[in-house]
Amino acid sequence: MSAALVGGLCSCNSNFLDTKPTDSVAASDALTNVADAGVACNGLYTPFKYYTMYSTYFAVLGDMRSDVLYPAKNNQGFKTVYNLQFDKVQNTYFGSIWMGYYEVINRCNTFLENIDPLYESSSEKDKKVIADYIGQCYAVRGLCYFDLARFYGYPYAKDNGASLGAVILTNTISASEAKEMSRSTVAQTYERAIADFGEAVGRLSKDKNSGHFNYWAAKAMLAKIQLYMGDNTGALANCKEVINSGVYSLVSRDGYVDYWGHENQPETVLEFLVSLKGDIDDDGGFYTIYHDLHFSKNNEDNDGHCIVPTKKYRESLGENDIRRTMLKEYILTDAQGKDYVQEIWLNKFPGNLDKGFTFRRNNAKVLRMSDVYLMAAEAAVKGAGTKEEAANYLYEVASRRDSDAQKLANPTLDDILLERFKEFPAEGQRFFDMLRNGKTIIHDMSYDPEDGVALTYPEVNWDKHIVVLPIAESERAIHPNLQQNPGY
């Protein structure tokens, strides 16, 4: 049933806007009861779990384009991302990301177009469940549009969202109609995302469920979108609602390292649950960033160990910062029997220990309470709240990580961005944090000889065309009205 429903709600056609394949179950016939709707709703999340989306590319494009991670000396993978050497003809990275998000959007649109008959014929009890599924669908689609705007459009603050954004679809269309579609602006794409989350929050359950969107996850993601748009008042209000709900809490300093091996923890607002079931391959859909971050004495064939934290990141952590314990030295022995440190790697993701999975299978953490608190601090320091509020929210996170942390009397935006830098390595946040605030990412080889090797752009800011991904030429060949980003 899962295979039939998922197949009926998506297209495997190379045309990313074609939602009517001929080899699958019609969606109108697939959604006949609440169980069907639940399976279809779960299917909305599946593409997010692949390495082409949140399991690798989101984190890589968020942190290897910044000053958090870079390729290890012996690594040839991901250097295209690190060096910002994107080729519009090549379909790697940007092509699969674009396709992945539209696969999810098409599933959402098909679900929404076919769910009403089931809803209307259901009992009041079942209507409540189905309404939650509908809310999840809107939230998932809103996340897709937000991410598409982040990857393919310039930061909103650069030009008030005037740059090219996503192709906005709120219903399924034919292949011939798809050929006439063109891109909207970043502002219109953000507005669509906000509208979708607005539709979601009135339907979603408030019960804790870290593997799916609920009311609180939608509110937190809505706050993030508002923060990116400069609506600091709205962002702070939504963050406060999540914080004050008491549904979630920050993980303690003593529990921080163990936190990463378990799912559905109080710190986690939303994560994409990886399992061995469904249409993910036997390796969990992975060649993932978690694989490439991991290394050990039992892994001397260099299978993994492709990505390492920068010297800047390593030196940002104080001696009593618990996050420092995740930095591990990999020691080799030379021909003379002398040990030496080959690399320092980030031992952050041990695998899902609840399911007995190795480091290759980690749930992608999409929203954590640390993020919510630091978003609240940022919105407050930008004028939506008081300096005292900003200081309190910032200290709540910092004090649970570093026993030497002091509450700042007059925190600045840079103070908050520094804490975000320390808190979210390999979670895909840094590049977007810097660019959306008009900051410049600097690679300094005089400070760190390994950072900046062969870089075309040792300094990156929102004036560089390369900070937005190109639209793959293979897509533009099918859709002639699909405008390319400037500079490509």
Side-chain angles (χ1 to χ4, degrees):
M1 182 175 68
S2 297
L5 285 170
V6 171
L9 294 179
C10 70
S11 169
C12 295
N13 194 294
S14 60
N15 182 342
F16 81 98
L17 294 177
D18 183 0
T19 63
K20 299 179 180 179
T22 59
D23 59 349
S24 59
V25 177
S28 58
D29 297 329
L31 298 174
T32 59
N33 55 55
V34 177
D36 290 349
V39 172
C41 183
N42 286 338
L44 303 177
Y45 295 89
T46 300
F48 287 127
K49 304 175 187 181
Y50 283 96
Y51 71 92
T52 49
M53 295 184 74
Y54 269 82
S55 282
T56 296
Y57 285 0
F58 185 89
V60 168
L61 287 165
D63 283 343
M64 286 195 73
R65 290 191 292 175
S66 68
D67 50 0
V68 180
L69 303 172
Y70 50 46
K73 296 175 185 178
N74 61 348
N75 172 37
Q76 296 302 312
F78 299 125
K79 284 193 174 179
T80 297
V81 175
Y82 177 65
N83 294 329
L84 297 173
Q85 294 174 337
F86 299 120
D87 183 349
K88 64 183 179 182
V89 178
Q90 187 181 16
N91 199 39
T92 307
Y93 305 117
F94 49 86
S96 54
I97 291 173
W98 182 269
M99 289 282 289
Y101 281 109
Y102 278 100
E103 180 181 353
V104 178
I105 289 169
N106 288 335
R107 292 185 184 195
C108 291
N109 290 343
T110 306
F111 183 92
L112 291 172
E113 287 178 1
N114 290 277
I115 195 64
D116 281 351
L118 175 60
Y119 179 83
E120 294 299 332
S121 63
S122 296
S123 67
E124 290 304 311
K125 179 181 178 181
D126 286 346
K127 280 183 177 179
K128 185 177 180 180
V129 176
I130 295 170
D132 180 69
Y133 293 152
I134 295 171
Q136 289 186 54
C137 192
Y138 277 114
V140 166
R141 192 175 72 180
L143 175 61
C144 288
Y145 283 123
F146 178 43
D147 285 350
L148 284 166
R150 288 196 282 180
F151 281 125
Y152 293 95
Y154 287 98
Y156 187 95
K158 180 180 187 292
D159 54 9
N160 290 319
S163 68
L164 291 168
V167 175
I168 297 176
L169 298 176
T170 56
N171 56 274
T172 57
I173 61 176
S174 67
S176 59
E177 290 173 319
K179 292 182 183 296
E180 304 302 318
M181 298 298 293
S182 59
R183 297 171 68 188
S184 299
T185 66
V186 165
Q188 291 167 330
T189 307
Y190 272 59
E191 288 165 5
R192 180 67 262 163
I194 286 178
D196 280 345
F197 278 105
E199 292 285 350
V201 294
R203 297 174 169 88
L204 286 167
S205 169
K206 292 186 177 181
D207 294 340
K208 192 176 187 301
N209 180 1
S210 71
H212 298 77
F213 268 106
N214 65 1
Y215 175 88
W216 308 109
K219 280 285 186 174
M221 190 59 72
L222 181 58
K224 187 178 285 285
I225 298 172
Q226 291 169 323
L227 195 66
Y228 275 54
M229 294 182 71
D231 179 7
N232 299 308
T233 300
L236 181 57
N238 281 314
C239 286
K240 282 184 173 180
E241 186 176 356
V242 177
I243 292 168
N244 295 335
S245 71
V247 176
Y248 307 93
S249 59
L250 291 165
V251 65
S252 68
R253 184 179 184 278
D254 291 341
Y256 188 77
V257 174
D258 185 63
Y259 162 78
W260 295 99
H262 304 281
E263 63 185 37
N264 200 32
Q265 296 296 293
E267 162 91 10
T268 305
V269 181
L270 179 65
E271 61 189 325
F272 293 138
L273 303 176
V274 172
S275 72
L276 301 183
K277 299 179 180 179
D279 60 348
I280 299 178
D281 63 38
D282 291 340
D283 194 24
F286 288 160
Y287 176 73
T288 71
I289 191 172
Y290 313 116
H291 175 100
D292 292 312
L293 285 166
H294 188 88
F295 207 60
S296 71
K297 289 292 284 187
N298 296 323
N299 200 14
E300 295 185 10
D301 58 356
N302 287 330
D303 182 18
H305 190 48
C306 294
I307 302 173
V308 293
T310 62
K311 180 180 178 183
K312 180 179 180 180
Y313 177 77
R314 300 193 305 265
E315 293 187 350
S316 72
L317 304 176
E319 290 297 324
N320 292 314
D321 192 319
I322 192 63
R323 293 167 295 201
R324 190 178 184 85
T325 65
M326 293 179 171
L327 299 175
K328 301 293 185 181
E329 294 181 347
Y330 179 64
I331 301 175
L332 290 176
T333 304
D334 62 21
Q336 288 72 43
K338 183 178 180 180
D339 290 343
Y340 67 96
V341 176
Q342 184 193 41
E343 297 280 8
I344 297 176
W345 51 283
L346 182 64
N347 185 27
K348 184 175 181 178
F349 304 102
N352 190 327
L353 304 181
D354 297 321
K355 294 179 178 176
F357 293 169
T358 69
F359 64 88
R360 297 163 76 91
R361 298 185 179 97
N362 289 262
N363 295 341
K365 299 290 195 291
V366 183
L367 284 168
R368 298 195 285 118
M369 282 305 290
S370 300
D371 198 1
V372 178
Y373 273 87
L374 291 175
M375 286 195 293
E378 182 176 337
V381 86
K382 288 179 174 177
T386 65
K387 289 284 187 177
E388 183 180 4
E389 283 182 301
N392 288 338
Y393 288 128
L394 176 59
Y395 183 68
E396 286 291 331
V397 177
S399 62
R400 284 174 170 80
R401 308 293 180 257
D402 189 346
S403 59
D404 293 332
Q406 301 294 316
K407 183 181 289 188
L408 302 178
N410 190 32
T412 65
L413 174 60
D414 285 338
D415 292 324
I416 294 160
L417 291 178
L418 175 60
E419 193 60 37
R420 293 186 66 86
F421 175 69
K422 292 190 276 188
E423 179 65 17
F424 300 115
E427 294 181 65
Q429 302 271 13
R430 178 66 169 176
F431 180 81
F432 301 114
D433 285 345
M434 294 293 280
L435 269 292
R436 66 183 171 80
N437 281 295
K439 301 288 186 179
T440 298
I441 297 167
I442 298 174
H443 300 273
D444 185 354
M445 288 185 65
S446 63
Y447 169 72
D448 184 354
E450 300 300 323
D451 187 15
V453 178
L455 278 181
T456 307
Y457 303 95
E459 293 189 4
V460 180
N461 56 49
W462 66 23
D463 291 325
K464 299 284 195 304
H465 81 278
I466 206 75
V467 300
V468 297
L469 296 179
I471 304 295
E473 286 297 283
S474 57
E475 293 299 338
R476 297 187 69 237
I478 300 172
H479 306 95
N481 289 338
L482 196 60
Q483 309 98 309
Q484 182 60 278
N485 280 323
Y488 293 104

